[in-house]
């Protein structure tokens, strides 16, 4: 009997392997043009430096960047890949896409479990909608925490619903060592089993809390702070707990999850389907009650904590929403279901390319690619023409200029870090400390967009300390003249060169009479011809 059981178990993995390949293939194909894309924002400023500290020095606590509370699970995963294939941008992207492919497979398997009692085959729809989602498209290739947290949330939930409690607890340990906010998942499991008076099984889910506690002790011993550094603690706890911030965060979470990117179609389908008694019975099952509790507590936690209020914090919940939509669409008439599915999928794809009229994180769609491409252009120009000059710019672009390992430059440039691109921040830096300023669009604020409205500006200024970014006339008052600028789909990066001291207006007048080509020829004679072209024509696409 055991001899016959072994081949049967092996055969069970064959369809899973085929399903994994079925989801991995399109995910890799649509990302092929981006495998060499250099790192974006928090990848560059936090996660890749931390991974390289672990890979090169065995340091679990970052020293190349400011440490924070995030556990090193993702970095440890990347180090496994670096150990096998060496460090590179491509290997990093491939490693994350493999994890993202497992996320699609787990969405499918969880959808099968949660779609029991419905007609048709609604389990195929959620992974396809996730694949079409702009947020998953970008995050599935990025070395950040939330897509891996999504994967292990789905795995832990699937194992729990299958009553494989020890394995669910093990997946939960990995989850909390990937992202600390994942602790709400085993907490829900613990409560569910306590209610059923399954004390021993509930005890399994103490392990994730113990694992996270151990990490916090290690972090505190290494840094002296429980959350890694006081700035991180203030921004993500004290600052985030302001009542207006919490209320606005809840509104933003509801809008993104249920309205944005045409997901309002899924919400309407859910509301219509809930009028059907059979559909209500599906959502009233024990499996769905646990799933809804996991989603609800995650939404509450990431709305109350986290100063940045990023949409990627909702990534672990997004597949659960699509599974619910799949169940709802199966209850509608065939024509209505097909029309709603097509419109929702098309809307998601459109939003991959379309930027909304209000501020949003560039990492939510292909705007992050434009952002990186602009920074590449400026870095290459600076490397060719501004070698030996000290460049002031904002975090994390300083790291891109100083460290060739991140893919922007081939040799290090001298850079100093500004807090932001507000006029007061740049004016506070002594003119003697830098020769060049590189300013880029950090906040999406298109002309005629929401941020142009006076009451929006007043709200942001009062509750979020918002200020407009420095302008060319303000730079001129500081002795900085525009050297070259590029625009791409509404974003801009501009290099300003110091031509005079802000305290000497006579020098400023003399400088303004010089031609741009003459100024630049003194900076980089070998490339003067190319620079003249840059000076005369702002690059755009």
């Amino acid at each position: 009997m055991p001899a016959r059981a072994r081949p049967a178990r092996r055969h069970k993995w064959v369809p899973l392997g085929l399903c994994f390949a079925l989801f991995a293939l399109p995910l890799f194909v649509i990302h092929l043009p981006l495998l060499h894309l250099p790192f974006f924002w928090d990848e560059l400023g936090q996660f890749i430096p931390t991974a390289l500290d672990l890979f090169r020095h065995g340091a679990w606590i970052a020293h190349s960047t400011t440490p924070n509370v995030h556990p090193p699970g993702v970095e440890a995963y990347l180090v496994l890949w670096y150990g096998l294939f060496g460090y590179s941008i491509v290997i990093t992207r491939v490693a994350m896409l493999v994890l993202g492919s497992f996320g699609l497979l787990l969405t499918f398997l969880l959808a099968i479990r949660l779609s029991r009692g419905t007609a048709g085959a609604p389990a195929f729809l959620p992974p396809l909608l996730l694949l079409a989602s702009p947020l998953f498209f970008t995050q599935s290739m990025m070395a950040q925490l939330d897509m891996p947290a999504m994967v292990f949330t789905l795995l832990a939930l699937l194992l729990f619903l299958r009553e494989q409690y020890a394995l669910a607890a093990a997946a939960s340990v990995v989850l909390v060592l990937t992202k600390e906010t994942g602790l709400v998942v085993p907490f829900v499991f613990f409560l569910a089993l306590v209610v059923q008076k399954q004390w021993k099984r509930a005890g399994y889910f103490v392990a994730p809390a113990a694992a996270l506690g151990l990490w916090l002790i290690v972090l505190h011993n290494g840094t002296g702070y429980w959350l890694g550094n006081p700035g991180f603690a203030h921004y993500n706890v004290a600052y985030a707990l302001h009542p207006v911030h919490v209320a606005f965060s809840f509104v933003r979470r509801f809008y993104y999850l249920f309205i944005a990117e045409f997901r309002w179609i899924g919400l309407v389908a859910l509301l219509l389907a809930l009028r059907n008694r059979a559909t209500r019975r599906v959502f009233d099952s024990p499996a769905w009650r646990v799933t809804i509790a996991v989603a609800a507590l995650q939404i509450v936690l990431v709305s109350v904590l986290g100063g940045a209020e990023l949409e990627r914090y909702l990534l672990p919940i997004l597949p659960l929403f699509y599974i619910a939509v799949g169940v709802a669409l199966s209850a509608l008439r065939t024509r209505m279901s097909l029309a709603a599915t097509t419109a929702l999928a098309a809307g998601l794809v459109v939003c991959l390319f379309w930027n909304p009229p209000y501020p949003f994180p560039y990492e939510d769609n292909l705007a992050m690619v434009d952002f990186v491409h602009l920074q590449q252009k400026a870095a290459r120009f600076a490397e060719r023409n501004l070698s030996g000059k000290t460049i002031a710019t904002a975090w994390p672009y300083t790291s891109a200029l100083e460290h060739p390992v991140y893919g922007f430059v081939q040799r290090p440039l001298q850079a100093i870090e500004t807090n932001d691109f507000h006029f007061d921040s740049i004016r506070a830096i002594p003119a003697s400390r830098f020769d060049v300023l590189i300013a880029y669009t950090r906040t999406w604020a298109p002309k005629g967009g929401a941020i142009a409205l006076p009451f929006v500006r007043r709200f942001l200024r009062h509750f979020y300390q918002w200020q407009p970014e420095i302008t060319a006339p303000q730079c001129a008052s500081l002795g900085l003249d525009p050297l070259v600028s590029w625009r791409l789909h509404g974003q801009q990066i501009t290099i300003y060169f110091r031509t005079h001291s802000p305290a000497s207006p006579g020098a400023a007048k003399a400088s303004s009479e010089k031609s741009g080509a003459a100024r630049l020829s003194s900076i980089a004679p070998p490339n003067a011809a190319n620079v003249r072209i840059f000076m005369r024509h702002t690059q755009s696409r």
Side-chain angles (χ1 to χ4, degrees):
M1 190 71 176
R4 261 176 276 174
R6 280 194 207 100
R9 285 194 206 101
R10 282 200 296 268
H11 290 321
K12 286 182 181 180
W13 293 101
V14 173
L16 283 178
L18 292 175
C19 286
F20 174 80
L22 182 68
F23 293 125
L25 181 61
L27 187 64
F28 272 83
V29 167
I30 61 179
H31 284 90
L32 276 178
L34 301 175
L35 290 183
H36 292 85
L37 186 76
F39 300 116
F40 170 84
W41 213 290
D42 283 350
E43 291 185 291
L44 175 64
Q46 179 64 44
F47 301 116
I48 296 302
T50 305
L52 291 177
D53 285 344
L54 179 58
F55 178 56
R56 293 169 173 170
H57 311 293
W60 289 98
I61 298 174
H63 56 78
S64 296
T65 187
T66 306
N68 59 42
V69 73
H70 297 318
V74 172
E75 290 87 342
Y77 170 73
L78 289 174
V79 165
L80 291 176
W81 282 78
Y82 297 161
L84 290 172
F85 305 105
Y87 163 79
S88 72
I89 294 172
V90 174
I91 291 300
T92 304
R93 301 288 181 218
V94 168
M96 301 312 294
L97 287 170
V98 168
L99 209 52
S101 301
F102 276 108
L104 292 171
L105 174 62
L106 288 167
T107 300
F108 175 64
L109 296 176
L110 188 59
I112 292 174
R113 178 66 181 77
L114 292 172
S115 300
R116 290 179 180 176
T118 61
F124 285 97
L125 183 58
L128 294 179
L129 291 176
L130 188 62
L131 188 62
S133 293
L135 186 63
F136 181 75
F137 178 91
T138 56
Q139 296 298 318
S140 61
M141 69 173 181
M142 295 175 69
Q144 298 193 138
L145 307 182
D146 300 277
M147 184 275 293
M150 179 200 84
V151 172
F152 292 107
T153 295
L154 296 174
L155 178 59
L157 182 56
L158 179 63
L159 292 169
F160 183 85
L161 296 181
R162 289 180 173 178
E163 299 183 355
Q164 296 174 286
Y165 299 123
L167 291 176
S172 298
V173 169
V174 178
L175 170 60
V176 300
L177 292 180
T178 298
K179 191 174 184 186
E180 66 286 350
T181 54
L183 188 62
V184 299
V185 177
F187 178 68
V188 170
F189 299 161
F190 175 83
L191 290 181
L193 291 170
V194 165
V195 168
Q196 298 172 26
K197 297 184 179 179
Q198 299 189 47
W199 309 109
K200 183 178 178 181
R201 288 170 171 173
Y204 295 157
F205 296 98
V206 175
L212 183 58
L214 182 61
W215 160 247
L216 294 177
I217 291 170
V218 171
L219 183 66
H220 184 268
N221 286 341
T223 65
Y225 300 100
W226 289 107
L227 297 184
N229 70 81
F232 182 91
H234 171 76
Y235 184 61
N236 289 281
V237 181
Y239 173 82
L241 286 175
H242 188 288
V244 173
H245 295 172
V246 172
F248 186 69
S249 183
F250 271 108
V251 171
R252 183 169 171 176
R253 299 300 181 219
F254 179 87
Y255 172 77
Y256 185 77
L257 190 59
F258 297 108
I259 307 295
E261 298 175 349
F262 288 79
R263 273 186 291 276
W264 60 266
I265 296 173
L267 177 62
V268 171
L270 273 169
L271 295 175
L272 291 174
L274 287 174
R275 298 164 59 186
N276 183 299
R277 187 177 299 175
T279 306
R280 286 201 303 270
R281 279 200 302 269
V282 171
F283 285 123
D284 196 37
S285 66
W288 266 109
R289 285 199 292 269
V290 171
T291 301
I292 291 170
V294 165
L297 277 185
Q298 291 252 30
I299 292 172
V300 169
L301 184 63
V302 300
S303 298
V304 172
L305 301 178
E309 300 178 7
L310 299 172
E311 275 73 32
R312 73 171 189 248
Y313 300 162
L314 292 173
L315 201 52
I317 305 157
L318 205 55
L320 306 181
F321 173 76
Y322 289 140
I323 293 171
V325 170
V327 171
L329 290 172
S330 70
L332 302 180
R333 293 179 181 177
T334 304
R335 245 183 229 182
M336 185 183 295
S337 177
L338 183 59
T341 301
T342 304
L344 176 54
L348 289 170
V349 173
V350 167
C351 288
L352 180 63
F353 302 90
W354 176 79
N355 296 336
Y358 48 81
F360 76 106
Y362 295 134
E363 63 186 5
D364 287 3
N365 68 11
L366 284 176
M368 62 86 67
V369 178
D370 296 335
F371 182 90
V372 172
H373 283 165
L374 284 173
Q375 294 204 337
Q376 279 184 294
K377 283 175 180 277
R380 289 167 182 166
F381 180 90
E383 187 173 16
R384 288 195 306 268
N385 300 287
L386 302 173
S387 179
K389 304 297 180 183
T390 300
I391 300 170
T393 192
W395 180 93
Y397 194 39
T398 44
S399 294
L401 299 175
E402 291 174 328
H403 303 289
V405 71
Y406 300 134
F408 290 86
V409 294
Q410 293 182 344
R411 60 181 184 275
L413 299 177
Q414 299 175 37
I416 64 168
E417 191 172 290
T418 69
N419 292 327
D420 46 52
F421 293 125
H422 302 160
F423 175 66
D424 291 340
S425 300
I426 305 302
R427 183 173 55 181
I429 306 173
S432 59
R433 288 195 61 201
F434 69 101
D435 311 296
V436 176
L437 171 69
I438 301 183
Y440 54 89
T441 308
R442 288 170 67 86
T443 301
W444 176 251
K447 290 182 180 178
I451 209 166
L453 300 173
F455 77 91
V456 173
R457 286 182 171 236
R458 285 195 298 270
F459 174 82
L460 294 177
R461 187 177 288 114
H462 184 72
F463 292 109
Y464 289 88
Q465 293 79 52
W466 175 85
Q467 294 181 38
E469 294 178 353
I470 195 168
T471 62
Q474 288 174 331
C475 283
S477 72
L478 300 177
L480 298 164
D481 286 351
L483 189 61
V484 56
S485 184
W486 297 266
R487 289 184 63 84
L488 186 58
H489 302 152
Q491 296 183 54
Q492 182 170 339
I493 191 166
T494 303
I495 299 179
Y496 296 90
F497 188 75
R498 185 173 300 286
T499 56
H500 58 274
S501 168
S504 54
K509 182 178 178 181
S511 175
S512 65
E513 295 172 355
K514 294 181 181 180
S515 70
R519 287 204 312 272
L520 271 167
S521 63
S522 67
I523 299 169
N527 296 298
N530 291 334
V531 170
R532 290 189 191 100
I533 297 172
F534 284 123
M535 283 290 298
R536 291 170 186 164
H537 304 286
T538 295
Q539 303 299 299
S540 63
R541 190 178 78 188

